[in-house]
């Protein structure tokens, strides 16, 4: 399996999804060599993690990640720059290093996650002659919110999709994007939904957000969103909805956690609407802080313009917060007991936010039923689906 | 041996709440009427159901009543439907009047607003029953002597109330867990009552028409009047009454014309009356003709809905409980206002359908379209309802009334 990141060194849902699916694939009897473009300590026993290069995670991180389309130049940059490498070079380096792994490794299938691994995957396929699955967690069409995006990335995606023997898409929504925007024949694509395993959470006495806890005990309600702050995530729509909500009920606070190139724009927008008092920008959060971000919310909103899946919505349910999700998301295929709005429908979004935060009976009923839907949607099922696909491709039954 | 078929049809349409936003609260006091073309638009639905069901059914029933002197039936029509017919379809109301004027059609008493008031406020319940009686008398010139409660919801308390109020008959579901070894095909006496008699729906035969009629996977499909009459006459031993109760909208709306449902109805009287000793009776006629054979004790609430036959489709989840309690907690403030429009709107909000739309029982099974709702989600139904409630409180506060 070719990946670009794994927790704890991940910048988004891709790393988490890879980790969880591998764990469950391993449980169902699949042996996995997971190739990463960097060296780091991983305490995972269920699969074999192979570094393609001996660079450290810090060197690697400098290059940017799978979500940094803009830093990926469309033409060859001149090669005089010393280390650290830019994203293009990382991409080439990965493909270069894969050669020796592909030559000596024993494997039946190559399974590659998202565009940065595609070049390496194609090399591996050429050398080994093994079938290739490309797994689409996100496309540049999504990341540029339906606009043109970076043609160099688009080209890599197209080549990867063409060279693949089979394609996994994280949702029907993503499958439709691949068919519509990339002209992929739909028979070639299998939908394998992401999932979340409902965990029993060990309660702690205090939420790390002390301010918000105090405000909540004074009758305030909290709306939460977690994610990268980029055009894809539709946060400008959420802030406009926040303005409407606050004009009706000034005791609603918004907590936006995450980072990204759009963050400053969002802060400016908030200020210009005069609602900075009610909108709290938090940085990337991890571990207990991330749990507490979900937990402090009375409702979680995923307002994405184009979201291949949207794992955060399921994580939120896991931590006991009901969700409002955009219709332009993959997760809307697996949840019915939530509000679904078009990302641009600010009126309806604000209406639904007020509806959930002001009616605990609604919030409880919705949460209870959507958690049940989550439980029906386990990684175990997804892994079984993937394993069936492997077996089908290898002619094993 | 005589055997009577008791055909009873129930006509009802709620005033559906439009998608009523929190941003309209305090500004727009019109919760029900929406732009033409919107799903929740009541006029649209009234016109559709009138043309597909009420008009053709009434036309056919009138023809049958004239053709067969033995043919009789009972019907009920809610205040919320009457109001809407008066507003948009007086021709349909006229066709109902024509049926009643044959003297062979009984009209039942019920709550004007098709509400669950009996279980939340006895005072309000009585007012709604009186409103309905008054309306029926004004329109049809008759005073009902048989009672049906919303969704045939029923318990001993209700029977006791109806007995005290002077009704001769009351009806509910013929559900085995309460009937035990008894058959629904007899007249019964409710526990703790003196005069009133109870008729219980033969749900197997009724559902053959109401639910299974057009189901092509049903082994008995297609069902015709001859086969049905045969089943009805074979139902139980020495049966006296065959209680066929269903929604009016079965004809033409739940079962479309193309399924042959009207043909079925057209042939039913003829086929049933072919056998010597068979006749039709209204509910009032049945309790007059037959003695009660035993008493029936129903302490819990029984309804004709779902496989559970209880009120869980209206009161089964937290939203529904919250919405109902919140609405009824407003009663004294609403009455204090003496504002006719506020009282009316409050009562329209009590219509059972509003709470039915909030039901998540089927939504959980992914079977979201299994029931008829103008909203795409039970959660939205709740939000629009609560927004309407909020506006009502704003109006009360503006009148200087404490909430």
């Amino acid at each position: 399996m070719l990946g670009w990141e794994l927790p704890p060194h991940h910048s988004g849902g891709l790393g988490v999804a890879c980790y969880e699916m591998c764990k469950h694939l391993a449980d169902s009897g699949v042996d996995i060599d997971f190739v990463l473009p960097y060296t780091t300590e991983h305490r995972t026993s269920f699969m074999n993690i192979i570094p393609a290069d001996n660079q450290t995670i810090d060197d690697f991180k400098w290059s940017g990640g799978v979500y940094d389309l803009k830093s990926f130049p469309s033409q060859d940059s001149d090669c005089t720059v010393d280390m650290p490498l830019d994203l293009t070079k990382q991409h080439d380096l990965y493909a270069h290093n894969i050669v020796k792994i592909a030559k000596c490794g024993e494997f039946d299938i190559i399974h590659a996650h998202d565009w940065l691994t595609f070049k390496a995957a194609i090399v591996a396929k050429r050398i080994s002659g093994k079938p290739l699955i490309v797994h689409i967690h996100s496309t540049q069409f999504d990341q540029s919110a339906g606009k043109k995006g970076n043609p160099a990335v688009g080209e890599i995606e197209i080549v990867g999709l063409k060279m693949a023997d089979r394609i996994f898409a994280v949702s029907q929504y993503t499958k439709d994007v691949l068919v519509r925007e990339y002209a992929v024949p739909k028979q070639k694509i299998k939908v394998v939904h992401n999932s979340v395993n409902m965990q029993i959470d060990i309660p702690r006495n205090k939420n790390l957000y002390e301010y918000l806890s105090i405000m909540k005990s004074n009758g305030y309600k909290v709306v939460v969103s977690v994610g990268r702050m980029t055009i894809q995530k539709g946060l400008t729509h959420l802030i406009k909805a926040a303005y409407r909500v606050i004009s009706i009920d000034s005791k609603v606070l918004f907590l936006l956690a995450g980072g990204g190139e759009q963050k400053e724009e969002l802060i400016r927008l908030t200020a210009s609407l005069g609602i900075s008092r009610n909108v709290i920008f938090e940085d990337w959060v991890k571990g207990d802080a991330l749990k507490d971000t979900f937990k402090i919310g009375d409702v979680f909103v995923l307002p994405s313009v184009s979201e291949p899946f949207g794992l955060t919505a399921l994580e939120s349910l896991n931590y006991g917060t009901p969700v409002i999700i955009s219709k332009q998301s993959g997760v809307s295929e697996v949840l019915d007991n939530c509000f679904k709005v078009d990302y641009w429908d600010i009126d309806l979004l604000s209406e639904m936010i007020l509806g959930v935060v002001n009616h605990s009976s609604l919030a409880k009923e919705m949460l209870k039923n959507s958690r049940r839907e989550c439980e029906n949607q386990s990684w175990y099922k997804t892994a079984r689906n993937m394993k069936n696909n492997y077996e089908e491709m290898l002619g094993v039954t | 041996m005589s055997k009577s078929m008791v055909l009873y049809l129930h006509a009802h349409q709620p005033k559906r709440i439009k998608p009523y936003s929190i941003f309209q609260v305090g500004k727009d006091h019109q919760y029900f009427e929406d732009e033409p073309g919107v799903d929740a638009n009541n006029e649209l639905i009234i016109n559709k159901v009138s043309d597909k069901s009420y008009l053709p059914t009434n036309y056919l029933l009138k023809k049958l009543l004239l053709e067969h002197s033995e043919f009789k039936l009972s019907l009920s029509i809610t205040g919320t439907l009457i109001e809407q017919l008066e507003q948009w379809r007086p021709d349909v109301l006229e066709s109902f009047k024509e049926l009643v004027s044959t003297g062979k059609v009984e009209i039942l008493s019920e709550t004007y607003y098709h509400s669950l008031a009996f279980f939340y406020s006895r005072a309000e319940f009585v007012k709604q029953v009186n409103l309905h009686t008054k309306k029926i008398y004004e329109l049809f010139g008759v005073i009902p002597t048989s009672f049906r409660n919303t969704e045939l919801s029923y318990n001993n308390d209700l029977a006791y109330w109806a007995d005290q109020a002077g009704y001769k008959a009351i009806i509910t579901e013929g559900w085995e867990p309460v009937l035990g070894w008894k058959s629904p095909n007899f007249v019964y006496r409710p526990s703790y009552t003196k005069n009133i008699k109870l008729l219980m729906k033969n749900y197997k035969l009724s559902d053959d028409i109401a639910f299974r009629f057009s189901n092509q996977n049903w082994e008995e499909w297609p069902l015709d009047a001859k086969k049905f009459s045969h089943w009805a006459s074979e139902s139980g031993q020495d049966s006296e009454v065959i209680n066929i109760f269903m929604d009016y909208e079965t004809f033409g709306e739940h079962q479309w014309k193309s399924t042959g449902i009207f043909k079925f109805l057209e042939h039913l009287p003829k086929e049933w009356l072919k056998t010597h000793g068979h006749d039709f009776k209204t509910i009032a006629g049945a309790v007059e003709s037959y003695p009660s054979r035993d008493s029936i004790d129903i302490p819990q609430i029984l309804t004709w809905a779902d496989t559970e036959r209880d009120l869980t489709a209206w009161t089964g989840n937290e939203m529904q409980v919250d919405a109902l309690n919140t609405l009824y907690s407003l009663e004294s403030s609403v009455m204090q206002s003496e504002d006719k429009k506020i009282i009316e709107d409050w009562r329209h909000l009590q219509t059972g359908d509003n709470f039915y739309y909030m039901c998540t029982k089927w939504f959980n099974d992914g079977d979201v379209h299994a029931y008829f709702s103008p909203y795409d989600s039970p959660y939205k139904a709740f939000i629009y309802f609560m927004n309407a409630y909020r506006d009502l409180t704003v109006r009360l506060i503006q009148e200087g009334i404490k909430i």
Side-chain angles (χ1 to χ4, degrees), chain A residues 337 351 359 361-362 365 369, chain B residues 21-22 322 360 379 387 390:
Chain A
N337 288 279
E351 176 81 35
H359 301 103
S361 58
L362 168 82
E365 183 68 25
N369 295 328
Chain B
S21 156
I22 188 77
D322 194 11
T360 51
Y379 306 100
N387 288 343
R390 269 203 193 89

Side-chain angles (χ1 to χ4, degrees), chain A residues 244 248 336-337 339 347 350-352 354-355 358-359 361-362 364-366 369 372, chain B residues 20-23 317-319 322 360 363-364 377 379-380 382-384 386-387 390:
Chain A
R244 301 218 61 188
I248 295 273
D336 277 321
N337 288 279
F339 283 125
D347 283 352
S350 41
E351 176 81 35
M352 295 311 148
L354 283 164
N358 285 327
H359 301 103
S361 58
L362 168 82
K364 277 186 204 156
E365 183 68 25
M366 201 178 235
N369 295 328
R372 194 175 301 151
Chain B
Y20 181 72
S21 156
I22 188 77
F23 301 105
N317 72 39
E318 290 197 44
M319 293 188 286
D322 194 11
T360 51
F363 207 65
N364 285 336
S377 125
Y379 306 100
K380 278 189 189 168
F382 175 75
I383 286 193
Y384 299 142
M386 291 305 286
N387 288 343
R390 269 203 193 89

Side-chain angles (χ1 to χ4, degrees), chain B residues 11 46-59 77 81-82 84-86 88-99 139-140 248:
Chain B
I46 292 294
N47 275 326
K48 192 183 76 171
V49 183
S50 292
D51 293 331
K52 282 176 73 179
S53 174
Y54 300 143
L55 268 188
T57 308
N58 286 353
Y59 174 82
I77 174 166
L81 174 57
I82 292 174
Q84 296 184 82
L85 291 177
E86 282 177 330
W88 297 306
R89 294 302 295 260
D91 57 326
V92 176
L93 204 53
E94 208 49 49
S95 72
F96 276 111
K97 283 186 195 167
E98 286 175 27
L99 291 187
L139 280 175
F140 301 102
Y248 222 91

